Amino acid sequence: MIFFRLTLLATIFVSGTAFAQTREPFQSEPSGPLLRSNVAGSRQQAGLASEGISTGGILIQPSLTVKVESDSNVLNRATQKRGSVFVVVMPTVNAAGGTEQASYVVRAQAAVARFASITSQNSETFGIEANGRLAVAKKASVFTRVAFDKKIEPRGQAGESITEGSPAEYRQFEAQIAARAETGAMRLTASVTATKRDYADIKLENGQTEDQQFRASNVVSFALKSEYALPNGGILFAAGTYSKADSPNAPSCCDQSSKGGQAIAGIRTELSKLVSAEISAGYVTRDYISNIYKDFNGPVWQAKVDWYPTPLMSLSVASGRKIVNSGIPTVAGIVVDATSLQLFYEVRRNIDVVLTLARSDENYREIDTKAVATLVGVEGRYIINSRFTGGLFSRLRDRSSNNRLQLSGGSGFEAGLWLRASL
């Protein structure tokens, strides 16, 4: 669910220099947590989905979500924990239009968070994204994507800044162009992505500020992916990525500029009528310009298996290894092994329950520190009608390390409710 803001498996939006996160022009599988769209957890019930507003060939889907949450450890401390109730208001609007030959999607969203007792954590974020597709031949298309975001980093994830104070806020601009062509059972996709990210200063509780510009980055990535459709409906795929990341404002002590690449191969298929799987493995290299950081050369993998034991229940298990970027000046790449399990159950046609278990093992190699983060969560969603959806959730999280002087962390309990209105 979108409200699991501390889902530990998600490491795309990590702190520090962005690296090798090239996006697909479009997803081959349905969007959502499961590999199929006709099962519990991703099924859209007839008559209960928001239809939006259609005008002049454009479909507009606005919504407003209000969330009230209590967090027992807002700053994610191991000791001297501070809790607070807070409210988040999130307006969103999606607009889509076009023809079979050319189409576009524009998304805009914002979030305003206000804390009752720790007002230093108040924040305002927003983002806008535009995607376009143009068919240049019968089986060839060009894709473009432009996005601008102002975001904050959730606490308690790999790569976060260990400085206490206001949330770590960054602005990111990203542009991508890609081309895709099909011939027979083969599909090829090539893309170029440019990303620029800048961080705002962190305001400390004593009134001082801490400069975060050492984390600013300019990244250019080149990617090539080939897919082959098997006769049984599965897909074999292989992909390669090369990225170059520059740290334009880094002092000599903390230049996280790097270059490297990734090569992976895998398969996406149905093992049976009740089991779907996507498994890939490969090798990653990352070489840093500064000799204070450890280069990374090693295997990476991703495995996801979905089991649909009954029409009302789905089970998704995922595991993988990635290297993510760091907000700690003396650490560059963090090796993260993450595993998660999600159980989806349709209590009734309009009531869903989701149970989440997740664990992340983090290796901060430069400071000889390891950390373990865990999450247990449950959420219930109630679709009132096609315009209103609500839910209740609770989460228990914990983060510990073998070197608390270098890497802080603690446990916390979250609970809350949300209501979304859609047109």
Side-chain angles (χ1 to χ4, degrees), residues 227-360:
E227 299 170 276
Y228 180 77
L230 300 172
N232 65 354
I235 297 177
L236 291 173
F237 60 89
T241 303
Y242 173 80
S243 295
K244 187 176 186 298
D246 293 321
S247 298
N249 303 324
S252 58
C253 70
C254 317
D255 189 343
Q256 296 185 358
S257 299
S258 63
K259 60 182 178 178
Q262 172 177 291
I264 61 169
I267 184 172
R268 181 167 60 250
T269 187
E270 288 192 356
L271 302 179
S272 71
K273 292 183 178 180
L274 299 177
V275 180
S276 299
E278 180 173 332
I279 300 172
S280 62
Y283 197 82
V284 167
T285 65
R286 186 187 291 197
D287 300 325
Y288 294 96
I289 292 178
S290 175
N291 57 15
I292 71 168
Y293 299 124
K294 294 183 178 180
D295 296 338
F296 180 80
N297 300 279
V300 291
W301 60 87
Q302 292 289 329
K304 189 171 187 291
V305 178
D306 292 340
W307 178 36
Y308 318 106
T310 76
L312 300 179
M313 184 180 296
S314 302
L315 180 67
S316 180
V317 180
S319 182
R321 166 175 286 184
K322 291 184 179 181
I323 180 169
V324 303
N325 306 301
S326 170
I328 304 174
T330 54
V331 178
I334 306 165
V335 181
V336 179
D337 294 324
T339 302
S340 70
L341 178 149
Q342 283 190 309
L343 176 67
F344 304 86
Y345 179 58
E346 289 184 3
V347 180
R348 294 182 60 183
R349 179 170 173 264
N350 61 336
I351 300 177
D352 296 334
V353 175
V354 184
L355 172 67
T356 299
L357 306 175
R359 174 182 169 123
S360 178

Side-chain angles (χ1 to χ4, degrees), residues 5-62:
R5 66 181 176 88
L6 292 175
T7 300
L8 301 178
L9 187 66
T11 54
I12 290 179
F13 297 106
V14 294
S15 59
T17 306
F19 186 87
Q21 295 295 351
T22 304
R23 289 174 175 261
E24 270 282 302
F26 62 88
Q27 296 292 332
S28 301
E29 66 276 3
S31 60
L34 302 172
L35 293 176
R36 283 167 51 179
S37 59
N38 61 342
V39 295
S42 54
R43 176 166 37 226
Q44 288 285 347
Q45 299 288 0
L48 294 180
S50 174
E51 297 180 356
I53 304 169
S54 183
T55 175
I58 303 174
L59 177 62
I60 302 174
Q61 295 176 302

Side-chain angles (χ1 to χ4, degrees), residues 70-86 115-121 155 164-165 205 397 411-413:
S70 175
D71 189 334
S72 68
N73 189 6
V74 173
L75 302 177
N76 204 46
R77 291 173 171 173
T79 60
Q80 297 181 330
K81 301 177 182 179
R82 297 176 61 188
S84 180
V85 174
F86 60 97
F115 286 73
S117 59
I118 313 179
T119 57
S120 63
Q121 302 306 299
R155 298 183 187 271
E164 286 199 5
E205 291 190 357
R397 69 180 190 272
S411 60
F413 178 75

Side-chain angles (χ1 to χ4, degrees), residues 121-133:
Q121 302 306 299
N122 292 345
S123 64
E124 301 85 31
T125 62
F126 65 88
I128 185 167
E129 173 183 346
N131 294 268
R133 179 191 64 85

